[in-house]
Amino acid sequence: MPAARARNTHAHTHTRALPRAEPQGRISRYLANKCSIASRIDCFMDVATSTFGEKMKEQVEERLRFYEEGVAPRKNISVMQVRGRGRSRALVAAV
């Protein structure tokens, strides 16, 4: 019969001590998502406008301020509803 191996009883305690994702990685993913949304809006809009891009830029800047100063950024739906009057209402629901 083979010798019994010692069990690792500390596995669960070590996984909880791992740090969360760094803000640089988070902001990179956030920026990539905003770029993806902007390219879709640009592709499917009938009339070219920079309003959505400006609002998304504000959101990225607010997120950076959140990581630096702790000021909570606005939610995506509240930012896009500012532009959501008229033609782009369906787009706001999709985003």
Side-chain angles (χ1 to χ4, degrees), residues 11-61:
H12 296 293
T13 58
H14 291 296
T15 56
R16 292 181 185 172
L18 293 175
R20 293 175 41 181
E22 293 294 322
Q24 181 180 357
R26 288 181 185 176
I27 199 68
S28 296
R29 286 191 308 271
Y30 189 80
L31 182 60
N33 289 335
K34 292 297 175 185
C35 290
S36 175
I37 293 170
S39 67
R40 291 175 190 166
I41 290 171
D42 189 40
C43 179
F44 292 111
M45 287 292 289
D46 294 334
V47 178
T49 180
S50 64
T51 306
F52 288 107
E54 291 167 1
K55 294 295 179 184
M56 288 184 200
K57 181 181 176 186
E58 289 174 12
Q59 281 186 299
V60 172
E61 291 171 351

Side-chain angles (χ1 to χ4, degrees), residues 72-92:
R74 294 178 292 172
K75 298 288 183 183
N76 190 41
I77 191 72
S78 64
V79 173
M80 291 301 164
Q81 280 180 344
V82 171
R83 173 63 180 119
R85 310 286 185 244
R87 306 171 101 191
S88 59
R89 183 160 292 176
L91 182 64
V92 171

